Amino acid sequence: MGHLDPRYIELMDETCEMLRAVYQTENPLTFPVSATGMAGMECVVTNLMEPGDEAIVCVNGVFGTRMVDVMERCGVTVHRLETDWGKVFSEEDVADEIQRHPKAKVIGIVHAETSTGAHQPLEGISKIAHEEGIMLVVDAVTSLGGHPVKVDEWQIDAIYSGTQKCLSCPPGLSPVSFSPRAVEVIESRKTKPQSWYLDVTMLKDYYLGKSKRAYHHTAPVNMVYALHESLAIILEEGLEARFARHERQHRRLRAGLDELGIGYIPEHSLHTLNCVRIPDGADDAAVRASLLDTYNIEIGAGLGPFAGKAWRIGLMGHSATQANVDLLLAALVDCLE
Ligand SMILES: Cc1ncc(COP(=O)(O)O)c(C=O)c1O
C-alpha cells in the first residue's frame, strides 16, 4: 500500500480520529510522529520553543531529565524544578516555581515517570499554569491507554506518547497532540524549528490536508496499520473499562507483593508501572534472569539511584491480566527461593 494511496489516507484519517478519542481531545493537530516516544518529545519541544525562550521542567526521574536536555538543545533556558525520585510535584511546588520564573513559556512534566513508577496528578498544575498564561507540555508515554489522559479537560497544550507501552502496539510511532493555542504559538514563531523532519507546520499538510495531501516523508505504512488496529482494540474494550482493568490488576499485584513483604517505592504509584523494593538478600540480576529464562517474564531493573534497589513491573495494555499477575507472583516466589 502506497503512503499516498487514497485507501491509506483514509486509514491514516481514521487512526488520527481514534487517537483523538484515546487522548480525549478535539485537537485537530493530533497524529502519530513517525518515530518512537523520544521523537514525540523532540517534536513538541522543537515546535513550541525558540532559542532564548524560558521553560520550567519538572525533574523527578530519567524522562524529566531528558526533557531538560532536549529543551537545552533547542536553545531554551531551562529552570529545573526538582524533587526526589519516586515523588510527585504538588501544586504549591509549581506555583512557587512560576513565581520565581514568570517569563517561562511552558511547564514540562511527566505524567507517568517510567523510571520511578510515580503517577503525577495534572489537573491542579494545569490550572495554575494557565492562570499564569503558561502552556503545559506533558509526557504520557507510559500512561496513554492505561490511565485517563484527558487532554481537553485538563487543558494540556502539547502531549506525546509511544505506541509500545499501554497502547500495546509495536514500537515505532509517537502519537502527539497540540491544542489550538499551541498551534497559534507555533504559527507565530520568529524562527523555523531546527528540525525539518519534525516541523508540524509542514507535517500538518500531510496529516490534516483535506482531499489534497502534500508529500513530506514516506509514512511508515505498516506501523500505522498496527496502530490503527491497536486503537480499534482499545476503543472496542472502552476507555473506562480499560482503565478499570489496569487498576484491578495493579491492586491484585500490590496485594500479592504485600504478602511477600515486597513494598512499593512511590507513594503515588502508577497502575501501569509498578516500582518495588528488591527484598533484602535477593540477587537482582539473578532473579530477573531466572524470571525471563524459566517463565518468559521480563521485569525492568531499577534505573539511576534505584539501580540494584528496585524492580519495575509493567502491567501495560494487553499484558495487564489476572493470569499474568498470578503467574508473575508464583514465578517470583519460585525465583526468590
Ligand atoms: C516516560 C517516557 N518518556 C519517553 C520515553 C521515550 O520513548 P521511546 O523509548 O519510545 O523513544 C519513554 C520510554 O520508555 C518513557 O517511558
Side-chain angles (χ1 to χ4, degrees), residues 35-39 41 63 66 110 112-115 139-142 160-165 171-173:
T36 67
M38 283 310 300
M41 189 192 290
F63 295 99
R66 283 196 183 183
V110 180
E113 184 41 91
T114 323
S115 60
D139 178 322
V141 170
T142 292
Y160 55 90
S161 189
T163 44
Q164 75 274 23
K165 297 278 199 307
L173 293 175

